[in-house]
Amino acid sequence: MAIEITAAMVNELRKATGVGMMQCKKALIEAEGNQEKAVELLRKQGAAVAAKRADKAAKEGRIYLVETADKAAAFELSCETEPVSNNEDFKALAALAVKAVETQNISSVEDLKNAVVDGKKVNDVLQDVLVKIQENIDFRKFGVLPKASNSVFGVYSHMMGKIGVITELSYEGSADEAALKVAAKDIAMQAAAFAPIALKDSDVPAETIEKEREIARAQIELAAQQSGKQTKPEFVERQLEGRVAKVLKELVLEDQEFFMSEKNPKKLSVKNYLQEVVAKQLGLSSLKVVNFIRFERGN
């Protein structure tokens, strides 16, 4: 005997999930009126939506930054279109994820999805949003920096979450934390603007260096062909090293020229600016960048 699906049952499910009336009615019919099974079916539909739209580019969304007393973290919640990132359900999902990061020991995207906050599993809420919005929405990236003693975080969000940066500065001595956080945020703004791929030379992947060497060699050989002059091998190697060093200076955060000219008239590198200018101003014996996270939406 078929169970009658009443308007009250449909409305109850709609209030619980936020999904449209027709989808709720279909789920209740399939679940033979069982509310819990209907909710589960709708969440499975969310997984189906995600699988169906997995090939759709999810280049919109937001980078979210979280700072607590003992850590700083960043994650990306992506979607396909800009309006969805302003949708209230999308924002509520992001807020739930932020609360999970603030209150729990999250170290990966998987941890974040499995986190339970206020009785709600983050991934279940994600599936609910997928059913309602019908877009490719997902948590794409996650990074966290545990706070060390004598360190301070700088947190900077650029263009409403298109780019999110967290820097960690380590210091020796005693200084006003507010002033330290200004310096840390300045370096975060530097990283947002100039997109370093590593903190120091030794962190640059070997394949990146080799690729830059190949590009530089091709440029040198082309210049030699165009000029009709033969370049001695030892000169080629010198030019190679010089060109690669110049590129690395642009890719390595501590070696980049600190970009705020009014604070850095001597055009010092980030490393030297922190030590020779900021550390002296604050009466510190040492001040340096020890970690950073830079996430860019869609990348």
Side-chain angles (χ1 to χ4, degrees):
M1 178 179 175
I3 295 177
E4 180 184 1
I5 305 301
T6 66
M9 293 166 66
V10 174
N11 193 46
E12 183 183 348
L13 182 59
R14 184 192 65 77
K15 286 181 178 179
T17 64
V19 178
M21 299 289 280
M22 290 306 297
Q23 283 178 286
C24 286
K25 185 174 182 179
K26 287 179 182 178
L28 281 166
I29 291 171
E30 188 173 344
E32 297 181 337
N34 186 297
Q35 287 278 340
E36 288 186 8
K37 287 184 179 179
V39 169
E40 185 178 343
L41 283 168
L42 288 172
R43 285 177 177 159
K44 286 179 179 178
Q45 287 177 26
V49 168
K52 184 178 180 181
R53 300 191 68 85
D55 61 338
K56 301 290 183 181
K59 294 186 176 180
E60 298 294 335
R62 295 282 186 274
I63 305 297
Y64 293 88
L65 305 174
V66 181
E67 182 180 1
T68 68
D70 61 355
K71 66 190 171 189
F75 66 87
E76 178 183 4
L77 181 57
S78 63
C79 57
E80 295 174 31
T81 59
E82 178 64 22
V84 165
S85 63
N86 293 312
N87 177 281
E88 291 305 316
D89 292 308
F90 184 94
K91 290 180 179 179
L93 172 60
L96 190 71
V98 166
K99 190 170 182 179
V101 175
E102 288 175 337
T103 59
Q104 299 180 33
N105 184 23
I106 308 293
S107 60
S108 66
V109 167
E110 185 178 359
D111 284 349
L112 183 55
K113 287 184 177 182
N114 287 326
V116 177
V117 182
D118 298 333
K120 300 175 183 177
K121 186 175 181 178
V122 172
N123 195 54
D124 287 346
V125 177
L126 170 61
Q127 303 311 313
D128 293 343
V129 174
L130 283 165
V131 173
K132 292 162 71 174
I133 296 178
Q134 300 285 307
E135 270 202 13
N136 183 3
I137 300 169
D138 205 357
F139 294 97
R140 289 170 56 122
K141 294 190 284 283
F142 184 87
V144 61
L145 298 176
K147 190 176 186 299
S149 59
N150 280 33
S151 74
V152 64
F153 291 123
V155 176
Y156 177 65
S157 179
H158 182 64
M159 293 182 66
M160 295 180 63
K162 180 179 180 181
I163 299 172
V165 180
I166 299 168
T167 55
E168 184 181 11
L169 304 190
S170 174
Y171 61 93
E172 293 180 11
S174 179
D176 177 58
E177 185 168 331
L180 283 167
K181 288 189 76 66
V182 169
K185 185 175 180 180
D186 284 348
I187 305 305
M189 292 171 69
Q190 168 91 24
F194 295 95
I197 67 168
L199 174 59
K200 49 193 175 184
D201 283 350
S202 58
D203 296 334
V204 178
E207 56 268 27
T208 299
I209 297 174
E210 186 55 37
K211 182 180 178 181
E212 293 301 331
R213 285 181 64 85
E214 289 175 6
I215 292 171
R217 187 181 297 278
Q219 291 172 339
I220 293 166
E221 290 175 352
L222 179 61
Q225 289 174 7
Q226 291 175 340
S227 67
K229 296 179 181 179
Q230 191 73 22
T231 305
K232 292 182 179 180
E234 58 268 30
F235 291 163
V236 171
E237 287 303 314
R238 282 186 207 163
Q239 289 183 58
L240 271 175
E241 294 307 316
R243 293 193 184 202
V244 171
K246 184 178 179 181
V247 171
L248 287 180
K249 191 175 179 180
E250 296 171 355
L251 297 178
V252 173
L253 178 57
E254 68 175 17
D255 291 336
Q256 290 178 346
E257 180 183 316
F258 180 60
F259 77 118
M260 291 184 177
S261 56
E262 71 279 9
K263 293 185 177 182
N264 186 30
K266 293 184 179 180
K267 299 184 177 181
L268 299 172
S269 67
V270 166
K271 177 172 61 179
N272 292 337
Y273 167 74
L274 287 173
Q275 185 60 38
E276 296 178 23
V277 178
V278 183
K280 285 184 178 180
Q281 289 175 349
L282 298 180
L284 299 170
S285 58
S286 174
L287 180 64
K288 58 185 177 181
V289 192
V290 289
N291 275 309
F292 81 99
I293 294 171
R294 184 187 188 276
F295 286 166
E296 187 165 347
R297 182 182 69 192
N299 289 341

